[in-house]
Amino acid sequence: MSRLQCLYGVIPQLKACEVAVNVGEGNYDAVLVSEFESLEDLETYKNDPRHKAVSALCKSIRTDRVAVDYEI
């Protein structure tokens, strides 16, 4: 999870990033909450090679994934 957090401050579009581990049972193990100024910034982040490298690592070790993108 530290690799996810290490992108904060490196990719300018990533305004905030928090990784937390679930302390309960029967749900997902961890959560990543990221903040962006716009949906365009989110897309730029998703396509950044540094993010793609971390994403590939996550894909290799996870068994399931849920994602929610929303605007406030």
Side-chain angles (χ1 to χ4, degrees):
M1 283 187 268
S2 63
R3 289 192 185 188
L4 288 169
Q5 291 173 314
C6 78
L7 294 175
Y8 179 69
V10 174
I11 301 177
Q13 291 79 12
L14 182 59
K15 299 301 178 191
C17 178
E18 178 182 358
V19 178
V21 176
N22 182 19
V23 295
E25 294 182 21
N27 295 307
Y28 288 93
D29 295 327
V31 62
L32 167 65
V33 179
S34 304
E35 291 183 26
F36 303 90
E37 290 290 328
S38 66
L39 290 174
E40 292 80 15
D41 282 356
L42 172 59
E43 288 304 313
T44 300
Y45 171 78
K46 286 180 180 179
N47 291 305
D48 187 289
R50 296 165 291 192
H51 171 260
K52 286 186 173 191
V54 172
S55 181
L57 171 66
C58 291
K59 286 177 186 176
S60 74
I61 61 174
R62 72 174 182 238
T63 57
D64 200 2
R65 174 182 181 262
V66 173
V68 177
D69 297 331
Y70 62 93
E71 288 185 284
I72 296 177

Coordinates of all heavy atoms in Angstrom, one line a residue:
M1 N 0.8 -1.2 0.0 CA 0.0 0.0 0.0 C 0.9 1.3 0.0 O 0.4 2.3 -0.4 CB -0.9 0.0 1.2 CG -2.1 -0.9 1.0 SD -3.3 -0.8 2.3 CE -2.7 -2.0 3.4
S2 N 2.1 1.1 0.5 CA 2.9 2.3 0.5 C 3.2 2.8 -0.9 O 3.5 4.0 -1.2 CB 4.2 2.0 1.2 OG 5.0 1.0 0.5
R3 N 3.2 1.9 -1.9 CA 3.4 2.3 -3.3 C 2.2 3.2 -3.8 O 2.5 4.1 -4.6 CB 3.6 1.1 -4.2 CG 4.9 0.4 -4.0 CD 5.1 -0.6 -5.1 NE 6.4 -1.3 -4.7 CZ 6.9 -2.1 -5.5 NH1 6.4 -2.4 -6.7 NH2 8.0 -2.8 -5.2
L4 N 1.0 2.9 -3.3 CA -0.1 3.8 -3.7 C 0.1 5.2 -3.1 O -0.1 6.2 -3.7 CB -1.4 3.2 -3.2 CG -1.9 2.0 -3.9 CD1 -3.1 1.4 -3.1 CD2 -2.4 2.3 -5.3
Q5 N 0.5 5.2 -1.8 CA 0.7 6.5 -1.2 C 1.9 7.3 -1.7 O 1.9 8.5 -1.7 CB 0.9 6.3 0.3 CG -0.4 5.8 1.0 CD -0.2 5.5 2.4 OE1 0.7 4.8 2.8 NE2 -1.2 5.9 3.3
C6 N 2.9 6.6 -2.3 CA 4.1 7.3 -2.8 C 3.8 8.1 -4.0 O 4.6 8.9 -4.4 CB 5.2 6.3 -3.0 SG 5.1 5.3 -4.5
L7 N 2.6 7.9 -4.6 CA 2.3 8.7 -5.8 C 1.8 10.1 -5.4 O 1.9 11.0 -6.2 CB 1.1 8.0 -6.6 CG 1.5 6.6 -7.2 CD1 0.3 6.0 -7.9 CD2 2.6 6.8 -8.2
Y8 N 1.4 10.2 -4.2 CA 1.0 11.6 -3.7 C 2.2 12.5 -3.6 O 3.3 12.1 -3.1 CB 0.4 11.5 -2.3 CG -0.1 12.8 -1.8 CD1 -1.1 13.5 -2.3 CD2 0.6 13.4 -0.7 CE1 -1.5 14.7 -1.8 CE2 0.2 14.6 -0.2 CZ -0.8 15.3 -0.8 OH -1.2 16.5 -0.3
G9 N 2.1 13.6 -4.3 CA 3.2 14.6 -4.4 C 4.1 14.4 -5.6 O 4.9 15.2 -5.9
V10 N 3.9 13.3 -6.3 CA 4.6 12.9 -7.5 C 3.8 13.2 -8.7 O 4.3 13.8 -9.7 CB 5.1 11.5 -7.4 CG1 5.8 11.1 -8.7 CG2 6.0 11.2 -6.2
I11 N 2.6 12.8 -8.7 CA 1.7 13.1 -9.8 C 0.8 14.3 -9.4 O 0.0 14.2 -8.5 CB 0.8 11.9 -10.1 CG1 1.7 10.6 -10.5 CG2 -0.2 12.2 -11.3 CD1 0.9 9.4 -10.7
P12 N 1.0 15.4 -10.1 CA 0.4 16.7 -9.6 C -1.1 16.7 -9.6 O -1.7 17.4 -8.7 CB 0.9 17.7 -10.7 CG 1.9 17.1 -11.5 CD 1.8 15.6 -11.3
Q13 N -1.8 15.9 -10.4 CA -3.2 15.8 -10.4 C -3.8 15.2 -9.1 O -5.0 15.4 -8.8 CB -3.8 15.1 -11.6 CG -3.5 15.8 -12.9 CD -2.1 15.7 -13.4 OE1 -1.3 14.8 -12.9 NE2 -1.7 16.5 -14.4
L14 N -3.0 14.4 -8.4 CA -3.5 13.7 -7.2 C -3.4 14.7 -6.0 O -2.3 15.0 -5.5 CB -2.6 12.5 -6.9 CG -2.9 11.6 -5.7 CD1 -4.3 11.1 -5.8 CD2 -1.9 10.5 -5.6
K15 N -4.6 15.2 -5.6 CA -4.6 16.3 -4.6 C -4.6 15.7 -3.2 O -4.2 16.4 -2.2 CB -5.9 17.1 -4.8 CG -5.9 17.8 -6.1 CD -4.7 18.7 -6.3 CE -4.7 19.4 -7.6 NZ -3.4 20.1 -7.9
A16 N -5.1 14.5 -3.0 CA -5.1 13.8 -1.6 C -5.2 12.3 -1.9 O -5.7 11.9 -2.9 CB -6.2 14.3 -0.8
C17 N -4.6 11.6 -0.9 CA -4.6 10.1 -1.1 C -4.5 9.5 0.3 O -3.6 9.9 1.1 CB -3.4 9.7 -1.9 SG -3.2 7.9 -2.1
E18 N -5.4 8.6 0.6 CA -5.4 7.9 1.8 C -5.6 6.4 1.6 O -6.5 6.0 0.8 CB -6.5 8.4 2.7 CG -6.6 7.7 4.1 CD -7.8 8.2 4.9 OE1 -8.5 9.2 4.5 OE2 -7.9 7.7 6.0
V19 N -4.8 5.6 2.2 CA -5.0 4.1 2.1 C -5.3 3.6 3.6 O -4.6 4.0 4.5 CB -3.7 3.4 1.6 CG1 -3.9 1.9 1.6 CG2 -3.4 3.9 0.2
A20 N -6.3 2.8 3.7 CA -6.7 2.3 5.0 C -7.0 0.8 5.0 O -7.5 0.4 3.9 CB -7.9 3.1 5.6
V21 N -6.6 0.1 6.0 CA -6.9 -1.3 6.1 C -8.1 -1.6 6.9 O -8.3 -1.0 8.0 CB -5.6 -2.0 6.7 CG1 -5.9 -3.5 6.9 CG2 -4.4 -1.8 5.9
N22 N -9.0 -2.4 6.5 CA -10.2 -2.8 7.2 C -9.8 -3.5 8.5 O -9.1 -4.5 8.4 CB -11.1 -3.7 6.3 CG -12.4 -4.0 6.9 OD1 -12.8 -3.4 7.8 ND2 -13.0 -5.1 6.4
V23 N -10.5 -3.1 9.6 CA -10.2 -3.8 10.8 C -11.3 -4.8 11.2 O -11.3 -5.5 12.1 CB -10.1 -2.8 12.0 CG1 -8.8 -1.9 11.8 CG2 -11.3 -1.9 12.1
G24 N -12.4 -4.8 10.3 CA -13.5 -5.7 10.5 C -13.3 -7.0 9.7 O -12.3 -7.2 9.1
E25 N -14.4 -7.8 9.7 CA -14.3 -9.1 9.0 C -15.5 -9.1 8.0 O -16.5 -8.5 8.2 CB -14.4 -10.3 9.9 CG -13.3 -10.4 10.8 CD -13.4 -11.7 11.7 OE1 -14.1 -12.6 11.4 OE2 -12.7 -11.7 12.7
G26 N -15.3 -9.9 6.9 CA -16.4 -10.1 5.9 C -16.5 -9.0 4.9 O -17.5 -9.1 4.1
N27 N -15.6 -8.1 4.8 CA -15.7 -7.0 3.8 C -14.3 -7.0 3.1 O -13.5 -7.9 3.2 CB -15.9 -5.7 4.5 CG -17.3 -5.6 5.1 OD1 -18.3 -5.9 4.5 ND2 -17.4 -5.3 6.4
Y28 N -14.1 -6.0 2.3 CA -12.8 -5.8 1.6 C -11.7 -5.5 2.6 O -12.0 -5.1 3.7 CB -12.9 -4.7 0.6 CG -13.8 -5.1 -0.6 CD1 -15.1 -4.8 -0.7 CD2 -13.2 -5.8 -1.7 CE1 -15.9 -5.2 -1.8 CE2 -14.0 -6.2 -2.8 CZ -15.3 -5.9 -2.8 OH -16.1 -6.3 -3.8
D29 N -10.5 -5.8 2.2 CA -9.3 -5.7 3.1 C -8.9 -4.3 3.3 O -8.3 -3.9 4.3 CB -8.2 -6.6 2.6 CG -8.5 -8.1 2.6 OD1 -9.3 -8.5 3.5 OD2 -8.0 -8.8 1.8
A30 N -9.0 -3.5 2.2 CA -8.4 -2.1 2.2 C -9.2 -1.2 1.3 O -10.0 -1.6 0.5 CB -7.0 -2.2 1.7
V31 N -9.0 0.1 1.5 CA -9.6 1.1 0.7 C -8.6 2.2 0.3 O -7.7 2.5 1.1 CB -10.8 1.7 1.5 CG1 -10.4 2.5 2.8 CG2 -11.6 2.7 0.6
L32 N -8.8 2.7 -0.9 CA -8.0 3.8 -1.3 C -8.9 4.9 -1.6 O -9.9 4.8 -2.4 CB -7.2 3.4 -2.6 CG -6.6 4.6 -3.4 CD1 -5.5 5.3 -2.6 CD2 -6.0 4.1 -4.7
V33 N -8.7 6.1 -1.0 CA -9.5 7.3 -1.2 C -8.6 8.3 -1.8 O -7.6 8.7 -1.2 CB -10.2 7.8 0.0 CG1 -11.0 9.0 -0.3 CG2 -11.1 6.7 0.7
S34 N -8.9 8.8 -3.0 CA -8.1 9.8 -3.7 C -9.0 11.0 -4.1 O -10.1 10.8 -4.4 CB -7.5 9.2 -5.0 OG -6.7 8.0 -4.7
E35 N -8.3 12.1 -4.1 CA -9.1 13.3 -4.5 C -8.4 14.0 -5.7 O -7.2 14.1 -5.8 CB -9.1 14.3 -3.3 CG -10.0 13.9 -2.2 CD -10.1 14.9 -1.1 OE1 -9.9 16.1 -1.4 OE2 -10.3 14.5 0.0
F36 N -9.2 14.5 -6.6 CA -8.8 15.2 -7.8 C -9.6 16.5 -8.0 O -10.8 16.5 -7.5 CB -8.9 14.3 -9.0 CG -8.2 13.0 -8.9 CD1 -8.8 11.9 -8.3 CD2 -6.9 12.9 -9.3 CE1 -8.1 10.7 -8.2 CE2 -6.2 11.7 -9.1 CZ -6.8 10.6 -8.6
E37 N -9.1 17.5 -8.6 CA -9.8 18.7 -8.9 C -11.0 18.5 -9.9 O -12.0 19.2 -9.9 CB -8.9 19.8 -9.4 CG -7.9 20.3 -8.3 CD -8.6 21.1 -7.2 OE1 -9.6 21.8 -7.5 OE2 -8.1 21.0 -6.1
S38 N -10.8 17.6 -10.8 CA -11.7 17.4 -11.9 C -11.7 16.0 -12.4 O -10.7 15.2 -12.2 CB -11.5 18.4 -13.1 OG -10.2 18.0 -13.7
L39 N -12.7 15.6 -13.2 CA -12.7 14.3 -13.9 C -11.5 14.2 -14.9 O -11.0 13.1 -15.1 CB -14.0 14.0 -14.5 CG -15.2 13.8 -13.6 CD1 -16.5 13.6 -14.3 CD2 -14.9 12.5 -12.7
E40 N -11.2 15.3 -15.5 CA -10.1 15.4 -16.4 C -8.7 15.0 -15.7 O -7.9 14.3 -16.2 CB -10.0 16.7 -17.1 CG -11.1 17.0 -18.1 CD -12.4 17.5 -17.4 OE1 -12.3 17.9 -16.2 OE2 -13.4 17.4 -18.0
D41 N -8.6 15.6 -14.5 CA -7.4 15.3 -13.7 C -7.4 13.8 -13.3 O -6.3 13.2 -13.3 CB -7.3 16.1 -12.4 CG -6.9 17.5 -12.7 OD1 -6.5 17.9 -13.8 OD2 -6.9 18.3 -11.7
L42 N -8.5 13.2 -13.0 CA -8.6 11.8 -12.7 C -8.1 11.0 -13.9 O -7.3 10.0 -13.8 CB -10.0 11.4 -12.3 CG -10.3 9.9 -12.2 CD1 -9.4 9.2 -11.1 CD2 -11.8 9.7 -11.9
E43 N -8.6 11.3 -15.1 CA -8.2 10.6 -16.3 C -6.7 10.7 -16.6 O -6.0 9.8 -17.0 CB -9.0 11.1 -17.5 CG -10.4 10.6 -17.5 CD -10.6 9.1 -17.4 OE1 -9.9 8.4 -18.1 OE2 -11.4 8.7 -16.6
T44 N -6.2 11.9 -16.4 CA -4.7 12.1 -16.5 C -3.9 11.3 -15.6 O -3.0 10.6 -15.9 CB -4.4 13.6 -16.3 OG1 -5.1 14.4 -17.3 CG2 -2.9 13.9 -16.4
Y45 N -4.4 11.2 -14.3 CA -3.8 10.3 -13.3 C -3.8 8.9 -13.7 O -2.8 8.2 -13.6 CB -4.5 10.6 -12.0 CG -4.1 9.6 -10.9 CD1 -2.9 9.8 -10.2 CD2 -4.9 8.5 -10.5 CE1 -2.6 8.9 -9.2 CE2 -4.6 7.7 -9.5 CZ -3.4 7.9 -8.8 OH -3.1 7.0 -7.8
K46 N -5.0 8.4 -14.2 CA -5.1 7.0 -14.6 C -4.2 6.6 -15.7 O -3.8 5.5 -15.8 CB -6.6 6.7 -15.0 CG -7.6 6.7 -13.9 CD -9.0 6.4 -14.5 CE -10.0 6.3 -13.5 NZ -11.4 6.0 -14.1
N47 N -3.9 7.6 -16.6 CA -3.0 7.3 -17.7 C -1.5 7.6 -17.5 O -0.7 7.3 -18.3 CB -3.5 8.1 -18.9 CG -4.8 7.5 -19.4 OD1 -5.0 6.3 -19.7 ND2 -5.8 8.4 -19.5
D48 N -1.2 8.1 -16.3 CA 0.2 8.4 -16.0 C 0.9 7.0 -15.8 O 0.5 6.1 -15.2 CB 0.3 9.2 -14.7 CG 1.7 9.6 -14.3 OD1 2.5 8.8 -14.0 OD2 1.9 10.8 -14.4
P49 N 2.1 6.9 -16.5 CA 2.9 5.7 -16.4 C 3.2 5.2 -15.0 O 3.3 4.0 -14.7 CB 4.1 5.9 -17.2 CG 3.9 7.2 -17.9 CD 2.8 7.9 -17.3
R50 N 3.4 6.2 -14.1 CA 3.7 5.8 -12.7 C 2.5 5.2 -12.0 O 2.6 4.2 -11.3 CB 4.2 7.0 -11.9 CG 5.5 7.6 -12.5 CD 5.8 9.0 -12.0 NE 4.9 9.9 -12.6 CZ 5.0 11.2 -12.6 NH1 6.0 11.8 -12.0 NH2 4.1 12.0 -13.1
H51 N 1.3 5.7 -12.3 CA 0.1 5.1 -11.8 C -0.1 3.7 -12.4 O -0.5 2.8 -11.7 CB -1.1 6.0 -12.0 CG -2.4 5.3 -11.7 ND1 -3.2 4.8 -12.6 CD2 -3.0 5.1 -10.5 CE1 -4.3 4.2 -12.0 NE2 -4.1 4.4 -10.7
K52 N 0.1 3.6 -13.7 CA -0.1 2.4 -14.4 C 0.8 1.3 -13.8 O 0.4 0.1 -13.7 CB 0.1 2.5 -15.9 CG -1.1 3.2 -16.5 CD -0.9 3.2 -18.0 CE -2.1 3.8 -18.7 NZ -2.1 3.6 -20.1
A53 N 2.0 1.6 -13.4 CA 2.9 0.6 -12.8 C 2.4 0.2 -11.5 O 2.4 -1.1 -11.2 CB 4.3 1.2 -12.6
V54 N 1.9 1.1 -10.6 CA 1.4 0.7 -9.3 C 0.1 -0.1 -9.5 O -0.2 -1.1 -8.8 CB 1.2 1.9 -8.4 CG1 0.4 1.5 -7.2 CG2 2.5 2.6 -8.1
S55 N -0.7 0.3 -10.5 CA -2.0 -0.4 -10.7 C -1.7 -1.8 -11.2 O -2.4 -2.7 -10.8 CB -2.7 0.4 -11.8 OG -4.0 -0.2 -12.1
A56 N -0.7 -2.0 -12.0 CA -0.4 -3.4 -12.4 C 0.0 -4.2 -11.2 O -0.3 -5.4 -11.2 CB 0.8 -3.3 -13.5
L57 N 0.8 -3.7 -10.3 CA 1.1 -4.4 -9.1 C -0.1 -4.8 -8.3 O -0.3 -5.9 -7.9 CB 2.1 -3.6 -8.2 CG 2.4 -4.2 -6.8 CD1 3.1 -5.5 -7.0 CD2 3.1 -3.2 -6.0
C58 N -1.0 -3.8 -8.1 CA -2.2 -4.1 -7.4 C -3.1 -5.2 -8.1 O -3.6 -6.1 -7.4 CB -3.1 -2.8 -7.3 SG -2.4 -1.6 -6.2
K59 N -3.1 -5.2 -9.4 CA -3.9 -6.2 -10.1 C -3.3 -7.6 -9.9 O -4.0 -8.6 -9.9 CB -3.9 -5.9 -11.6 CG -4.8 -4.7 -12.0 CD -4.7 -4.4 -13.5 CE -5.5 -3.2 -13.8 NZ -5.4 -2.8 -15.2
S60 N -2.0 -7.6 -9.7 CA -1.3 -8.9 -9.6 C -1.5 -9.6 -8.2 O -1.4 -10.8 -8.0 CB 0.2 -8.8 -9.9 OG 0.9 -8.1 -8.8
I61 N -1.9 -8.7 -7.2 CA -2.0 -9.3 -5.8 C -3.5 -9.3 -5.3 O -3.7 -9.9 -4.3 CB -1.1 -8.5 -4.9 CG1 -1.5 -7.0 -4.8 CG2 0.3 -8.7 -5.2 CD1 -0.8 -6.3 -3.7
R62 N -4.4 -8.7 -6.0 CA -5.8 -8.6 -5.5 C -6.6 -9.8 -6.1 O -6.3 -10.3 -7.1 CB -6.4 -7.3 -5.8 CG -6.7 -7.1 -7.2 CD -7.5 -5.8 -7.4 NE -7.8 -5.6 -8.8 CZ -7.5 -4.6 -9.6 NH1 -6.8 -3.6 -9.0 NH2 -7.8 -4.6 -10.8
T63 N -7.7 -10.0 -5.4 CA -8.6 -11.0 -5.9 C -9.9 -10.4 -6.3 O -10.7 -11.0 -7.1 CB -9.0 -12.1 -4.8 OG1 -9.5 -11.4 -3.6 CG2 -7.7 -12.9 -4.4
D64 N -10.2 -9.2 -5.9 CA -11.4 -8.5 -6.3 C -11.2 -7.0 -6.2 O -10.3 -6.5 -5.5 CB -12.6 -8.9 -5.4 CG -13.9 -8.7 -6.0 OD1 -14.0 -8.2 -7.1 OD2 -14.9 -9.0 -5.3
R65 N -12.1 -6.2 -6.8 CA -11.9 -4.8 -6.8 C -13.3 -4.1 -7.0 O -14.1 -4.6 -7.7 CB -11.0 -4.3 -7.9 CG -10.9 -2.8 -8.1 CD -10.0 -2.5 -9.3 NE -9.8 -1.1 -9.5 CZ -10.5 -0.4 -10.4 NH1 -11.5 -1.0 -11.1 NH2 -10.3 0.9 -10.5
V66 N -13.5 -3.0 -6.3 CA -14.7 -2.2 -6.4 C -14.2 -0.8 -6.6 O -13.3 -0.3 -5.8 CB -15.6 -2.3 -5.2 CG1 -16.8 -1.3 -5.4 CG2 -16.2 -3.7 -5.1
A67 N -14.7 0.0 -7.5 CA -14.3 1.4 -7.7 C -15.5 2.3 -7.8 O -16.5 1.9 -8.4 CB -13.5 1.5 -9.0
V68 N -15.5 3.4 -7.2 CA -16.5 4.4 -7.3 C -15.9 5.8 -7.6 O -15.0 6.2 -6.8 CB -17.3 4.5 -6.0 CG1 -18.4 5.6 -6.0 CG2 -17.9 3.2 -5.6
D69 N -16.3 6.4 -8.7 CA -15.8 7.8 -9.0 C -17.0 8.7 -8.8 O -18.1 8.4 -9.4 CB -15.3 7.9 -10.5 CG -14.1 7.0 -10.7 OD1 -13.3 6.8 -9.7 OD2 -13.9 6.5 -11.8
Y70 N -16.9 9.7 -8.1 CA -18.0 10.6 -7.9 C -17.6 12.1 -7.8 O -16.4 12.4 -7.6 CB -18.8 10.3 -6.6 CG -18.0 10.4 -5.3 CD1 -18.0 11.6 -4.6 CD2 -17.2 9.3 -4.9 CE1 -17.3 11.7 -3.4 CE2 -16.5 9.4 -3.7 CZ -16.5 10.6 -3.0 OH -15.8 10.7 -1.9
E71 N -18.5 13.0 -8.0 CA -18.2 14.4 -7.9 C -19.0 15.0 -6.8 O -20.2 14.6 -6.5 CB -18.7 15.1 -9.2 CG -17.8 14.8 -10.4 CD -18.2 15.7 -11.6 OE1 -19.2 15.3 -12.2 OE2 -17.5 16.7 -11.9
I72 N -18.4 16.0 -6.1 CA -19.1 16.7 -5.1 C -19.5 18.1 -5.5 O -18.9 18.7 -6.2 CB -18.2 16.8 -3.8 CG1 -17.9 15.5 -3.3 CG2 -18.9 17.7 -2.8 CD1 -16.9 15.5 -2.1

